[in-house]
Amino acid sequence: MGFFNKIFGQNDKTEQTNETRPQQNLTPCKTEQELIERYGGIAMDKQLSFGDFIGNNNWNINIANGEISFGDDIVLPMQVLGTISHSSQTWLWAWANTKSGLSENVIKQALELKKYGEENGIDLLRNDTFDFTKEDLHLIGIIASGINNFSGYYICDYGQGAMVVTIKSEKVDRIHKEDNHHRILTVFPQLISQFEMNHNFALTNYLIAKGYTISENGTKLIMTKNGQTITAEFDELSRLTKLNG
């Protein structure tokens, strides 16, 4: 499987820590880009842990129980976000699929995302259906798992279409807490290659979510945790030019 499918204001020349940027964590996001900048890094990081947990096992869904299983031994609670049709190439949110017969318990997260979209004017979350690409599916999964601090998401391809679900599991979360410092050097370049964003904001949010202390000096970030350091440099447009750790 590939990386995804295995599972998924500045003051120049002054030092700032994560305590000086509360607005990035408290204010609602108003655009898709803001959502991916805030949640993309940590959600993608969790996808690696989720992928390690489920391995190469085949998936199976029990809609009535709200569960997804991988192989014979892994059974996890899930939330259904929506489905895509390969023939029409459109996405349909679970709350808009009136013919599916899905219980409200299994689409609770989808309804919460709809409310978030309505309150903050984000079409991706509030429009019932739209044209899709494969990248859109991962965008939806990353945003959904990030907003609700879920353990990961999975794209269940069943031939004619695919269903996107999210998973919350203490077993997966425990794996993720076994922090991998060097994973950042893999995750973040993947993130910025897949989605448009302000690299500086996205990396700052990612590392704060992982518990790093952030200091800033002009276009350079220094991020530390448990004696380990990540350094990043950006150009005048906040695009990443160097990432070391």
Side-chain angles (χ1 to χ4, degrees):
M1 297 183 182
F3 180 84
F4 288 111
N5 293 330
K6 185 177 180 181
I7 355 187
F8 113 65
Q10 304 179 30
N11 292 325
D12 290 345
K13 298 182 180 179
T14 60
E15 181 173 292
Q16 299 181 342
T17 67
N18 50 345
E19 284 100 11
T20 67
R21 294 189 174 191
Q23 71 278 6
Q24 287 186 301
N25 294 320
L26 297 179
T27 57
C29 297
K30 300 296 182 180
T31 66
E32 294 175 25
Q33 181 170 321
E34 288 181 16
L35 286 167
I36 204 69
E37 287 171 355
R38 180 173 297 181
Y39 300 114
I42 193 63
M44 190 178 286
D45 195 305
K46 289 182 179 181
Q47 279 299 106
L48 286 180
S49 298
F50 180 50
D52 291 340
F53 181 73
I54 64 175
N56 293 319
N57 289 305
N58 293 327
W59 61 272
N60 188 59
I61 280 181
N62 186 321
I63 290 290
N65 293 342
E67 294 176 337
I68 183 170
S69 60
F70 298 92
D72 297 327
D73 301 322
I74 301 174
V75 182
L76 304 170
M78 70 169 188
Q79 286 284 300
V80 178
L81 298 182
T83 55
I84 54 120
S85 166
H86 292 320
S87 58
S88 63
Q89 296 197 355
T90 53
W91 166 264
L92 181 64
W93 280 101
W95 48 261
N97 192 345
T98 57
K99 297 180 180 180
S100 67
L102 293 170
S103 71
E104 188 167 324
N105 285 336
V106 82
I107 65 169
K108 189 179 297 183
Q109 189 189 15
L111 289 167
E112 291 173 354
L113 291 170
K114 178 187 178 186
K115 181 181 179 182
Y116 192 105
E118 291 172 342
E119 291 176 346
N120 297 288
I122 302 175
D123 289 342
L124 177 75
L125 303 181
R126 67 180 178 179
N127 289 352
D128 57 354
T129 185
F130 48 85
D131 294 340
F132 84 99
T133 65
K134 291 182 179 179
E135 287 71 25
D136 290 327
L137 296 182
H138 293 293
L139 176 65
I140 289 169
I142 285 172
I143 288 173
S145 59
I147 286 178
N148 292 104
N149 193 26
F150 272 39
S151 309
Y153 68 93
Y154 196 80
I155 298 174
C156 309
D157 196 311
Y158 49 85
Q160 294 179 336
M163 176 183 289
V164 182
V165 303
T166 51
I167 293 93
K168 181 62 178 176
S169 167
E170 291 183 3
K171 294 178 181 179
V172 179
D173 292 342
R174 280 197 296 269
I175 294 174
H176 186 252
K177 286 179 181 178
E178 297 174 2
D179 193 52
N180 187 331
H181 173 76
H182 295 289
R183 177 179 287 181
I184 297 162
L185 304 179
T186 300
V187 169
F188 195 70
Q190 282 280 356
L191 178 70
I192 61 178
S193 72
Q194 294 291 327
F195 304 105
E196 292 291 331
M197 70 192 73
N198 180 302
H199 295 179
N200 190 315
F201 289 171
L203 185 61
T204 297
N205 284 322
Y206 176 24
L207 273 293
I208 287 175
K210 286 181 71 70
Y212 282 71
T213 298
I214 314 292
S215 63
E216 181 174 352
N217 189 346
T219 58
K220 184 176 182 178
L221 293 181
I222 303 172
M223 298 149 283
T224 58
K225 180 182 177 182
N226 298 331
Q228 296 181 306
T229 300
I230 292 282
T231 60
E233 295 183 29
F234 306 87
D235 64 16
E236 66 279 2
L237 299 177
S238 292
R239 294 174 301 198
L240 183 71
T241 57
K242 292 182 181 180
L243 183 64
N244 298 303

